[in-house]
Amino acid sequence: MSDLELLYTDVEDDLRASVRALLDDRCDAASVAALYDGDRTIVAGLWKALAVDLGLAGLLVPEESGGAGASAREAGVVLEELGRYAAPVPFLTSAVVATVVLAETGGPLLADLASGAKTAALAVPLSAAPHDPVPATARVEPDAHLHGTVSSVAGALEADVLLVPVRTGDAIAVYAVPAADVTRTPVVSLDMTRQLADLRLDGAAAELVLADGEPAIRRALLAGAGLLASEQAGLAQWCLSTTISYLKERRQFGRVVGGFQALKHRLADLFTDVESASAAARNAAASLAADTPDADLATAVAQSYNADLAVRAAEEAVQLHGGIGMTWEHPAHLYLKRAKADQIAFGSPGSHRAHLAELADLPAPGTP
């Protein structure tokens, strides 16, 4: 593995403080839970504040294209905080995945994403993994009109532009399509804070943005998987800290619940695992930022571990909060739903473990 600096810099700490302060003010659990009862897909005012006021929409966009020119390290810090609030904003889908696809184009669409004027989504299933073949589900007519269908795309409902991978001969091209020209059918999913949509393209007019887009799509999916680990780590941190605070106050049989030895051991184990998840996420983000040869390996390690750990932390939060943890009024269910959905995003933990075994040249179980 490469020798990477994993400690947070002062700049990263300042970025975290700014994001956390804004989320404290604008992203309460009640507004997140309200998404389950209404037609909205994001908290629009929150996204505007993050994207424009804090400039997070252009965090990964080069400065010459109007962005901040930051790296995956800073994006990882932002996602840790977004995970702590289960924030319903398109940062991962637009400011990370779609932006990485367009990063080398330097075109006006990239500048629009950087300014927060538009959002975009890569039109592939949420489960698409960076180590799998790049899905190309649409075909293009000679007049640059697209036909095809794509299932379970994250970020598509709130996107202004969809980036559609299209096979053209031996290459996979990327076309930009106005989202308004695409039939988008919402998918009722467990996690409504990152909603999915099925897409149908019936002759939508498209603009070619990358003739050979497969390398860019792979980089984008790798960035999505690697930085999702930061969101999962942040989510797990919230679940642990909130549960500890509750158990320090809740009293049963004349003493605080957190004083019971069995719960102390249970939380100590979870603390160790959450710290490990944070380290794995940080290593993946740093590897992506440095573009090391180990970035693929670091991402596979982080997703192999963090996806399941986030679910366990959320399950522990629900259970250790007792009866209140099972109610709609307590936000623990929001985190459990987000963690379960994240568990299959950009590849399942099982697929990442299989890929990790390939990278480490380890034989599969049962192989002589």
Side-chain angles (χ1 to χ4, degrees), residues 4 16 27 42 64 67 69 97 140 241 256 261:
L4 296 172
R16 179 192 306 283
C27 189
I42 62 173
E64 57 269 26
V97 176
V140 60
S241 61
V256 294
Q261 190 77 351

Side-chain angles (χ1 to χ4, degrees), residues 2 11 17 19 52 54 67 80 100 105 114 125 133 181 192 201 204 237 266 287 323 343 357-358:
S2 302
V11 172
V19 175
V52 180
L54 290 188
E80 281 181 38
V100 172
T105 66
D181 295 343
M192 298 298 279
L201 300 98
Q237 290 163 9
R266 196 162 155 177
S287 297
Q343 202 174 24
E358 293 176 4

Side-chain angles (χ1 to χ4, degrees), residues 20-249:
R20 185 175 296 187
L22 192 148
L23 292 171
D24 271 340
D25 186 48
R26 306 287 288 272
C27 189
D28 60 280
S31 62
V32 177
L35 297 178
Y36 287 79
D37 296 323
D39 297 329
R40 294 179 302 141
T41 60
I42 62 173
V43 178
L46 172 62
W47 174 238
K48 180 178 180 298
L50 289 166
V52 180
D53 299 347
L54 290 188
L56 300 187
L59 199 63
L60 294 180
V61 177
E63 293 183 66
E64 57 269 26
S65 296
S71 73
R73 291 173 59 102
E74 290 79 12
V77 170
V78 173
L79 279 162
E80 281 181 38
E81 294 309 305
L82 295 179
R84 291 178 61 86
Y85 294 78
V89 292
F91 181 81
L92 183 62
T93 53
S94 181
V96 174
V97 176
T99 294
V100 172
V101 171
L102 297 172
E104 295 182 358
T105 66
L109 179 55
L110 184 62
D112 286 341
L113 296 188
S115 67
K118 291 182 179 179
T119 60
L122 179 62
V124 300
L126 177 64
S127 59
H131 46 265
D132 288 339
V134 173
T137 54
R139 58 182 174 83
V140 60
E141 300 291 342
D143 58 356
H145 285 66
L146 300 186
H147 298 264
T149 59
V150 193
S151 299
S152 301
V153 178
L157 289 174
E158 60 270 17
D160 300 294
V161 178
L162 298 172
L163 304 176
V164 184
V166 178
R167 180 161 294 285
T168 55
D170 293 334
I172 293 180
V174 177
Y175 282 80
V177 183
D181 295 343
V182 178
T183 302
R184 294 171 289 177
T185 304
V187 175
V188 178
S189 56
L190 180 65
D191 175 30
M192 298 298 279
T193 64
R194 181 176 287 141
Q195 293 194 28
L196 308 178
D198 293 339
L199 309 182
R200 184 177 184 85
L201 300 98
D202 293 314
E207 178 185 356
L208 178 65
V209 292
L210 283 171
D212 182 9
E214 185 167 356
I217 294 173
R218 286 199 179 280
R219 285 195 297 273
L221 293 177
L222 186 65
L227 294 177
L228 177 65
S230 292
E231 178 183 294
Q232 292 160 332
L235 185 154
Q237 290 163 9
W238 180 91
C239 291
L240 176 63
S241 61
T242 302
T243 303
I244 290 175
S245 296
Y246 176 76
L247 294 183
K248 285 181 176 178
E249 296 178 356

